[in-house]
mmCIF file of all heavy atoms in Angstrom:
data_model
loop_
_atom_site.group_PDB
_atom_site.id
_atom_site.type_symbol
_atom_site.label_atom_id
_atom_site.label_comp_id
_atom_site.label_asym_id
_atom_site.label_seq_id
_atom_site.Cartn_x
_atom_site.Cartn_y
_atom_site.Cartn_z
ATOM 1 N N GLN B 222 49.616 20.540 275.363
ATOM 2 C CA GLN B 222 49.853 19.659 274.226
ATOM 3 C C GLN B 222 48.683 18.701 274.096
ATOM 4 O O GLN B 222 48.115 18.277 275.105
ATOM 5 C CB GLN B 222 51.173 18.897 274.477
ATOM 6 C CG GLN B 222 51.624 17.995 273.359
ATOM 7 C CD GLN B 222 51.231 16.529 273.576
ATOM 8 O OE1 GLN B 222 50.627 16.184 274.569
ATOM 9 N NE2 GLN B 222 51.562 15.716 272.612
ATOM 10 N N ARG B 223 48.296 18.405 272.863
ATOM 11 C CA ARG B 223 47.205 17.451 272.689
ATOM 12 C C ARG B 223 47.470 16.551 271.483
ATOM 13 O O ARG B 223 47.857 17.032 270.416
ATOM 14 C CB ARG B 223 45.875 18.190 272.503
ATOM 15 C CG ARG B 223 44.747 17.195 272.395
ATOM 16 C CD ARG B 223 43.382 17.768 272.235
ATOM 17 N NE ARG B 223 42.530 16.669 271.747
ATOM 18 C CZ ARG B 223 41.263 16.545 271.984
ATOM 19 N NH1 ARG B 223 40.635 17.450 272.674
ATOM 20 N NH2 ARG B 223 40.598 15.514 271.510
ATOM 21 N N LYS B 224 47.226 15.262 271.685
ATOM 22 C CA LYS B 224 47.373 14.305 270.592
ATOM 23 C C LYS B 224 46.217 14.461 269.615
ATOM 24 O O LYS B 224 45.079 14.675 270.027
ATOM 25 C CB LYS B 224 47.313 12.883 271.138
ATOM 26 C CG LYS B 224 48.633 12.283 271.524
ATOM 27 C CD LYS B 224 48.389 10.817 271.866
ATOM 28 C CE LYS B 224 49.632 10.154 272.410
ATOM 29 N NZ LYS B 224 49.366 8.750 272.754
ATOM 30 N N GLY B 225 46.513 14.276 268.329
ATOM 31 C CA GLY B 225 45.448 14.311 267.337
ATOM 32 C C GLY B 225 44.759 12.961 267.232
ATOM 33 O O GLY B 225 45.223 11.970 267.805
ATOM 34 N N LEU B 226 43.677 12.943 266.494
ATOM 35 C CA LEU B 226 42.902 11.707 266.376
ATOM 36 C C LEU B 226 43.706 10.577 265.741
ATOM 37 O O LEU B 226 43.578 9.424 266.142
ATOM 38 C CB LEU B 226 41.624 11.967 265.558
ATOM 39 C CG LEU B 226 40.611 12.887 266.241
ATOM 40 C CD1 LEU B 226 39.529 13.310 265.266
ATOM 41 C CD2 LEU B 226 39.993 12.195 267.435
ATOM 42 N N VAL B 227 44.557 10.921 264.759
ATOM 43 C CA VAL B 227 45.305 9.842 264.098
ATOM 44 C C VAL B 227 46.301 9.191 265.058
ATOM 45 O O VAL B 227 46.649 8.022 264.880
ATOM 46 C CB VAL B 227 46.023 10.307 262.804
ATOM 47 C CG1 VAL B 227 45.050 10.722 261.739
ATOM 48 C CG2 VAL B 227 47.014 11.398 263.075
ATOM 49 N N GLU B 228 46.731 9.919 266.065
ATOM 50 C CA GLU B 228 47.624 9.312 267.063
ATOM 51 C C GLU B 228 46.830 8.568 268.125
ATOM 52 O O GLU B 228 47.280 7.581 268.688
ATOM 53 C CB GLU B 228 48.499 10.379 267.708
ATOM 54 C CG GLU B 228 49.647 10.825 266.813
ATOM 55 C CD GLU B 228 50.724 11.541 267.598
ATOM 56 O OE1 GLU B 228 51.564 10.870 268.208
ATOM 57 O OE2 GLU B 228 50.710 12.791 267.593
ATOM 58 N N GLN B 229 45.618 9.078 268.407
ATOM 59 C CA GLN B 229 44.796 8.422 269.434
ATOM 60 C C GLN B 229 44.295 7.047 268.983
ATOM 61 O O GLN B 229 43.868 6.247 269.798
ATOM 62 C CB GLN B 229 43.593 9.310 269.788
ATOM 63 C CG GLN B 229 43.974 10.530 270.608
ATOM 64 C CD GLN B 229 42.769 11.399 270.949
ATOM 65 O OE1 GLN B 229 41.671 11.165 270.481
ATOM 66 N NE2 GLN B 229 42.984 12.404 271.758
ATOM 67 N N VAL B 230 44.333 6.797 267.687
ATOM 68 C CA VAL B 230 43.852 5.501 267.187
ATOM 69 C C VAL B 230 44.711 4.360 267.738
ATOM 70 O O VAL B 230 44.204 3.257 267.984
ATOM 71 C CB VAL B 230 43.866 5.478 265.638
ATOM 72 C CG1 VAL B 230 43.417 4.136 265.123
ATOM 73 C CG2 VAL B 230 42.959 6.554 265.087
ATOM 74 N N GLU B 231 46.010 4.638 267.948
ATOM 75 C CA GLU B 231 46.900 3.679 268.611
ATOM 76 C C GLU B 231 46.874 2.295 267.975
ATOM 77 O O GLU B 231 46.604 1.285 268.622
ATOM 78 C CB GLU B 231 46.505 3.536 270.102
ATOM 79 C CG GLU B 231 46.462 4.827 270.891
ATOM 80 C CD GLU B 231 47.817 5.213 271.460
ATOM 81 O OE1 GLU B 231 48.797 4.539 271.140
ATOM 82 O OE2 GLU B 231 47.866 6.227 272.195
ATOM 83 N N GLY B 232 47.092 2.245 266.675
ATOM 84 C CA GLY B 232 47.165 0.933 266.024
ATOM 85 C C GLY B 232 45.828 0.374 265.589
ATOM 86 O O GLY B 232 45.739 -0.739 265.079
ATOM 87 N N GLY B 233 44.784 1.139 265.775
ATOM 88 C CA GLY B 233 43.449 0.645 265.418
ATOM 89 C C GLY B 233 42.969 1.171 264.072
ATOM 90 O O GLY B 233 43.760 1.363 263.145
ATOM 91 N N THR B 234 41.669 1.407 263.995
ATOM 92 C CA THR B 234 41.047 1.830 262.735
ATOM 93 C C THR B 234 40.472 3.229 262.878
ATOM 94 O O THR B 234 39.760 3.514 263.838
ATOM 95 C CB THR B 234 39.919 0.851 262.341
ATOM 96 O OG1 THR B 234 40.459 -0.459 262.242
ATOM 97 C CG2 THR B 234 39.284 1.239 261.021
ATOM 98 N N LEU B 235 40.798 4.075 261.922
ATOM 99 C CA LEU B 235 40.238 5.430 261.897
ATOM 100 C C LEU B 235 39.070 5.404 260.919
ATOM 101 O O LEU B 235 39.268 5.141 259.732
ATOM 102 C CB LEU B 235 41.301 6.427 261.439
ATOM 103 C CG LEU B 235 40.941 7.902 261.550
ATOM 104 C CD1 LEU B 235 40.889 8.328 263.016
ATOM 105 C CD2 LEU B 235 41.964 8.768 260.824
ATOM 106 N N PHE B 236 37.884 5.647 261.420
ATOM 107 C CA PHE B 236 36.705 5.620 260.552
ATOM 108 C C PHE B 236 36.344 7.045 260.166
ATOM 109 O O PHE B 236 35.892 7.827 261.006
ATOM 110 C CB PHE B 236 35.539 4.931 261.267
ATOM 111 C CG PHE B 236 34.247 4.988 260.484
ATOM 112 C CD1 PHE B 236 34.196 4.532 259.175
ATOM 113 C CD2 PHE B 236 33.077 5.488 261.048
ATOM 114 C CE1 PHE B 236 33.016 4.586 258.436
ATOM 115 C CE2 PHE B 236 31.899 5.545 260.329
ATOM 116 C CZ PHE B 236 31.871 5.094 259.017
ATOM 117 N N LEU B 237 36.557 7.361 258.904
ATOM 118 C CA LEU B 237 36.247 8.708 258.410
ATOM 119 C C LEU B 237 34.825 8.706 257.861
ATOM 120 O O LEU B 237 34.594 8.344 256.702
ATOM 121 C CB LEU B 237 37.220 9.105 257.306
ATOM 122 C CG LEU B 237 38.688 9.248 257.691
ATOM 123 C CD1 LEU B 237 39.532 9.504 256.461
ATOM 124 C CD2 LEU B 237 38.866 10.382 258.698
ATOM 125 N N ASP B 238 33.886 9.068 258.721
ATOM 126 C CA ASP B 238 32.494 9.100 258.277
ATOM 127 C C ASP B 238 32.253 10.370 257.467
ATOM 128 O O ASP B 238 32.821 11.413 257.778
ATOM 129 C CB ASP B 238 31.576 9.070 259.514
ATOM 130 C CG ASP B 238 30.175 8.627 259.162
ATOM 131 O OD1 ASP B 238 29.950 8.203 258.004
ATOM 132 O OD2 ASP B 238 29.292 8.701 260.030
#
Side-chain angles (χ1 to χ4, degrees):
Chain B
Q222 184 263 359
R223 183 179 163 150
K224 269 187 186 179
L226 293 169
V227 295
E228 283 198 82
Q229 287 180 353
V230 178
E231 305 274 6
T234 303
L235 189 70
F236 174 54
L237 296 174
D238 200 8

